[in-house]
Amino acid sequence: MWPLDPPLIAARDSYLACVSSTQDRPRRARLLAATDAVDQAATRFRHAVQTGRVCSLVTDDYQVPGIRATEAVTWTYRNGMVNTGRGREIYQQIMAAPPYERCPLCGHGIVRTLDHYMPKSSFPALCVTPDNLVPACGDCNHIKGEKAPASPETTLLHPYFDRIDNVSWLGARVIRETPPRLEFHVKPVGTWTQELTERVRHHFRLFGLAMRYAPPANSLINDIRRRIAALFECGGASLVRDYLHDEADTRLATRRNGWEGVTYRALAEDDWFCSQGFTTC
Ligand SMILES: [Zn+2]
């Protein structure tokens, strides 16, 4: 949902780094024998994700030859990447990629883990493939769980390959209640295909983004109410509107679809809020 550049780490290098610390010699030999197959699986996965067809991937094609799925995940991902070994450096490097440590799946939570875009239990050959490892907050990681895409429309956005932040797609409207509050939604974008529109909506719904953005946005409204009242005293609704637009522009310049900038913009564009709504905060 919020784009990130793909890690500059080859799938083969990541796999070899993760299996190299395996102490058991016969086990290490079995893992090394699967290197080409793992590398080829990573290539197929990248092609599928770039063409929006990961939902058609077959789990049988993403097993590690000669090694059961649970063992492959334990030996390469858990032992070789999460807990120790050279793979740990790769794990930390991918975790550190998002600006301000913000989760690219929701744009809000703090990165705590790596999420497997294609679940490691079903696609063990991709369990240490950098393209398949997405920095995520705990909430997003928990919500997504072991879900694999079931159709093109329910394929979650991949931060490395689905770059939708060149347009404004996050909207919010002021609910004229006491106190006023915001409701967030996905705005239709004319240049998007129907499939992409459905994917963005699915992503937005699955991760509960409307419910996750509303509390901090409503808290922000409360925080700025005194300032707005003072501005209104000096220059009326137009001065309030100018202030809100300035705040929105500053934030949207760096994060076009960040909830904070969108909050300021929605308030600025609501005549009721600028003229009297803020008094009910
Ligand atoms: Zn998140």
Side-chain angles (χ1 to χ4, degrees), residues 93 106 134 140 142 156 159 161 172 180 194:
Q93 188 178 333
C106 64
V134 177
C140 287
H142 176 72
L156 293 174
F161 302 103
Q194 187 62 31

Side-chain angles (χ1 to χ4, degrees), residues 189-203:
V189 175
T191 53
W192 285 358
T193 62
Q194 187 62 31
E195 182 179 302
L196 179 57
T197 302
E198 292 304 319
R199 286 183 66 196
V200 176
R201 286 176 175 158
H202 175 72
H203 190 113

Side-chain angles (χ1 to χ4, degrees), residues 160-172:
Y160 301 152
F161 302 103
D162 296 306
R163 312 192 77 89
I164 62 167
D165 222 34
N166 57 341
V167 293
S168 172
W169 56 261
L170 180 62

Side-chain angles (χ1 to χ4, degrees), residues 44-54 117 158 161-162:
R44 292 197 303 274
F45 168 64
R46 176 174 272 226
H47 177 72
V49 75
Q50 285 176 327
T51 53
R53 287 296 173 266
V54 285
Y117 184 81
H158 194 313
F161 302 103
D162 296 306

Side-chain angles (χ1 to χ4, degrees), residues 103-109 136-137 139-140 212:
C103 169
L105 297 174
C106 64
H108 181 50
C137 70
D139 284 347
C140 287
R212 289 163 77 178

